Amino acid sequence: MIDPHNLARRALAEVASGTLDNYFYKSDLTSTIYESILKKDTEHQINLVKTALEKDLTLDYFYNSMAPMIAEMLGDAWKDDTLSFSEVTVALGKLRLLCQEFEEKYLSGVENTYNSTKILLVSLDGDNHTFGAYIASLKLRKSNINTHLSVSRKESEVLDKIKNGDFAAVGVSVGSEKAIKSVNQLVKTIKKYHDMPIIAGGSFVSNNIDIAKKVLEVDGLEFDVEKIKSYVNTKRNSN
């Protein structure tokens, strides 16, 4: 279930950004899109978002708050046995298609970062749902950070990518508590061969931040854009 402390942080963020007036409207819209994903085709969800964008919905809010919340609602439904694993998998696929529909517009105006210092964002083999890593990569790209997304990878594959790439940092998506052991093992192995910061994010981290601080052996938690930019700048200056 979603940690109540995480919900409180979301509410505080709404207050800080001055968008609390529309909170209930957007909560209703989130629920409507969630139900549509479960019962209707993707075109219906696309039309719902298009209509909302013509009013006061922004793509920043959609990608940073609404889409992740829908993914969490699907995860909770699976944990509560109200949806099967296959139903959640199909629904997350539809949610990703919805996000991809507006991705080009969301990233419009982003600088060309193809040749710049990059970070590697990975989800490990066994992480069945990789939506969180996808959203994190969009957020970082939106902030002009050259992000290489690699999903469902074995430890050896991650090490090969680090060896052959010029990465300033590695971000690891942690989908659940089941991934803690494998993430810590990956961190230990990377640190053995490479001197680079490793950050953990994902639904487990964002929903259980206090526990994550205690059990994950990483350099930072949550994919904080400014912190990652500092890692990128340090790497660039050392080249």
Side-chain angles (χ1 to χ4, degrees), residues 32-44:
T32 300
I33 295 173
Y34 173 80
E35 292 297 328
S36 175
I37 285 173
L38 294 179
K39 300 175 182 178
K40 300 185 179 181
D41 60 30
T42 305
E43 191 63 32
H44 186 261

Side-chain angles (χ1 to χ4, degrees), residues 26 52-53 56-63:
K26 289 173 180 174
L53 288 171
D56 65 350
L57 178 67
T58 66
L59 286 177
D60 279 340
Y61 188 90
F62 173 72
Y63 283 104

Side-chain angles (χ1 to χ4, degrees), residues 19 22-31 56-57 61 66:
T19 59
N22 296 318
Y23 179 78
F24 292 108
Y25 159 71
K26 289 173 180 174
S27 295
D28 288 344
L29 178 60
T30 300
S31 297
D56 65 350
L57 178 67
Y61 188 90
M66 190 171 289

Side-chain angles (χ1 to χ4, degrees), residues 57-111:
L57 178 67
T58 66
L59 286 177
D60 279 340
Y61 188 90
F62 173 72
Y63 283 104
N64 294 330
S65 297
M66 190 171 289
M69 181 59 75
I70 292 171
E72 289 181 6
M73 291 165 69
L74 289 168
D76 285 346
W78 175 43
K79 293 175 185 176
D80 294 340
D81 289 327
T82 56
L83 289 177
S84 68
F85 180 82
S86 60
E87 287 174 322
V88 171
T89 299
V90 169
L92 284 172
K94 291 170 70 175
L95 178 58
R96 181 155 180 170
L97 286 174
L98 176 61
C99 290
Q100 288 174 335
E101 177 70 22
F102 301 96
E103 185 177 314
E104 183 176 351
K105 184 176 181 180
Y106 177 60
L107 295 175
S108 63
V110 172
E111 297 175 9

Side-chain angles (χ1 to χ4, degrees), residues 162 167-169 190-198 219 235:
I162 295 173
F167 296 107
I190 292 175
K191 292 291 189 180
K192 183 177 180 181
Y193 299 103
H194 304 278
D195 182 18
M196 63 170 55
I198 302 174
D219 300 300
K235 176 71 173 180

